[in-house]
Amino acid sequence: MSDQSPALTCYHCSLPVPPHEVIEAEIEGESQQFCCTGCKAVCQAIYDAGLEGFYQRTPEGTNLAPPPEIPNELALYDLDEVQEEFVGALGEERDIHLLIEGIHCAACVWLIEHTLNALPGIVSAQVNLSGKRLHVKWHNESLSLSKIIQRLGQIGYAAVPYDPEVAEGALKRQNRNMLYRMAFAAFGMMNLMWISIALYAGANEGEFRSLFHWVGFTLATPVLIYSGYPFYKGAWSGLKNLHLGMDLPIAIGASITYLYSVYVTVTGSLVGEVYYDTVVNFLFVILVGRYLEAMSKRQAVAATQRLLDLQPRVATLFVDGNEKIVPIRAVSMGDTVLVKPGERIPVDGVILEGRSSIDESMLTGESLAVMKETGSAVSAGTINGHGALQIEVKGSLKNTALGRIISLVEEAQGSKAPIQCLADQIVPWFVAATLSLATVTFLYWYGSSFEVALLAATSVLIITCPCAFGLATPMSIAVASGLGAKYGILVKNGEVLETLSSINHVIFDKTGTLTEGGMSVVEIHTKTHDWACSTGEDPADEILSLMLKLGAMERFSEHPTAQAVVNWLDSDSLDHRRLKVDNFVYTPGQGVSATVNGEVVMAGNPALMRERGIVCNEAFEQLAISLDSRGIGSIRVAVEGEEVALIAMEDQLRPDAKILIDALKAEGLNLTLLSGDRQDAAEAIASRLGGMNVIAEVLPEEKDQVVRQLQAKGERVAMVGDGVNDAPALVRADVGIAMGSGTDVSIASADIVLMSGELEKVRLAVGLSRRTLKTIRQNIGISITYNIIMVPLAMSAIVTPLVAAISMPMSSLAVIGNSARIRTLFKGVKIRS
């Protein structure tokens, strides 16, 4: 056996040290080994500060991680414009919460607090170990925030500003509180169930009757106070504003039932029964519905937030040849900003210097990158390609195209009135009628017996509880939403199912909705051979040989047309990567060239061919014009200085697009194709789909206006789209339908999301909405019939509170059972979810 030396471990983090990358430093007179320069620097900083006790306080066996990467551009955090988002007040003494990466144990807490407290200007530093957060107060005149973050980085911790209010979110806190109340009611409900079983089984007639009543009182009282608080608060608020809302009958029903039960418990009456379980069960069921409603409200803010996320927070200001990173708020009209390759453009403006392809798909929805050069306009949120650009600022934040889209989404959300179901409209009258009937019943029976009068009045209040009315709409929507989700139709706003059934006009965005959303090779033409994907035939050997050379070169490009060529080869498992490629050159706005297996190959537009002195083939010129009239683009290919091929590419129609269009036209719906393409190209697509209205050359802001104009004519509009530019129109429309393959913004803005992107699901969604509305009407009928029968019986004192408590959920169960029948709608339908 050969001797093996023990593996070296890092003095700071105890991780193995790479054998050939040992980093040494002298620590307190002894040479120590480190795994990286970061650990070495951190260890030296700790010892230099006299905080070596950190290593003694670290629990044995705890391995520290190497220091995380310190955030870039620390000076940015010293700007008041940035700090105002995180700092409580921009005074001389400031405080901030920092999220700390790298905290492991109590020793880390000790090290951070002692290190910062030793800095001049620090007022206090407190670490929350479980939350991995640091709350620090400091004097801004004598110490900058960047120095604090930098010092933390020196001892091995990365810190970024953290706003607990923003991170938590008001809606999220409200939902959390409601979830706590619901859980508390569930706990009381489960325990009261056993009390109820005992009482119904005969304990209400024995010596333990009083004991069970008091146990029920003990369980129900805190549930009523804590879980019922939102209803009492809402009822009181409604009374103050002279409005009878849904909270009032809930509060009255729960209170009267509870007070009557307390009366029976305290007096020991043998006539009545206690209904603590009814109170708690009632509160739990209503809280579940409220919680689900609150969750959907929380999702409503996601669209605007995702749009805001597309707006860069900082910009590189170009002043006198020097670069300075500033917050986007500090950029003014007329400033010059520098945008490097791959960065998002932070402002609307005009290019002063540079040339590059710009990916505007998030704004326009069109898949092809657009070439921009000096004098061209660019938009905030779009992505710069290969070139560096100097841009004169023409608009920032709300004054950009992206900002205007954000404003349109917010405006449309505000103007879109919520659909009021029939139950909500009649609740004030229902409540007034319930109170009147209960009062009349009590007064009528009071002359006979107080307990009979109280029991009869309570029965009226219990039996006329608006549960069935309340469930009529949400239960149908819940079942329909679940069924839709099973078949890949995600209904985000349940009430929209009511609206979708009355839609008479459907607008389709072209790119990514009716088309695949990416370029594909559809035809290849050489001087001697032609191939089209529609024929299903195999391409000739000459074409295959040419495409292999082209693919070998195009794999080095990120342009959509290059990706289309590579995808075409990959789909047939053709190995283009074995060919040798040299001298690859990308010419922005024109194309690419390279030496492939010793031959010079070029691919691009006619401008590239002319610049390289290549004579364009007249047949290819005429073919390109013909393709262009059909909305199909093309590139030219040259080998060894001779133009040899034309390759046609397009964003192909989805296979199920024409089937859907034919089906919707058969149902009598008006259809419109909306596109940013040229009019002739858009009309060519519409013609291939069987014909429909076409609105082309539409700017992002104008899609919302198109929907508004149709609505002004009395049309009930559904919008189907997938891009950021579709977001305002999706929100403005009576129903917004987004493809699951689309952007986060469009998905967040829509009412319905087709998860797998199958267009056939648009028709299924319409069918689901019609069935849902029919079921809602049936449910309301069931609820009305129940009340017509049961209320007179309760007023006649024939129905006791016990029978009322049992019969009350019967109407709800009937509504639930009828709603469950919606699940049979798609029986026999086979579709990917």
Side-chain angles (χ1 to χ4, degrees), residues 377-443:
V378 292
S379 300
T382 56
I383 301 174
N384 185 23
H386 296 81
L389 302 175
Q390 291 183 31
I391 300 171
E392 181 183 354
V393 179
K394 296 296 183 182
S396 63
L397 294 175
K398 291 185 178 180
N399 296 318
T400 65
L402 178 61
R404 287 190 290 273
I405 289 177
I406 293 171
S407 299
L408 286 169
V409 171
E410 291 173 341
E411 178 192 347
Q413 285 177 334
S415 65
K416 195 176 192 179
I419 301 166
Q420 295 295 319
C421 69
L422 182 59
D424 288 336
Q425 294 174 4
I426 69 171
V427 158
W429 303 100
F430 189 93
V431 173
T434 298
L435 295 175
S436 300
L437 290 173
T439 303
V440 169
T441 302
F442 180 82
L443 293 175

Side-chain angles (χ1 to χ4, degrees), residues 30-71:
E30 294 186 14
S31 179
Q32 304 292 353
Q33 288 77 37
F34 298 91
C35 65
C36 62
T37 55
C39 283
K40 170 189 168 184
V42 168
C43 183
Q44 288 177 327
I46 291 173
Y47 273 91
D48 290 344
L51 299 172
E52 60 272 13
F54 163 72
Y55 293 104
Q56 282 76 48
R57 288 173 171 79
T58 302
E60 189 173 351
T62 300
N63 290 339
L64 305 174
E69 184 178 350
I70 301 174

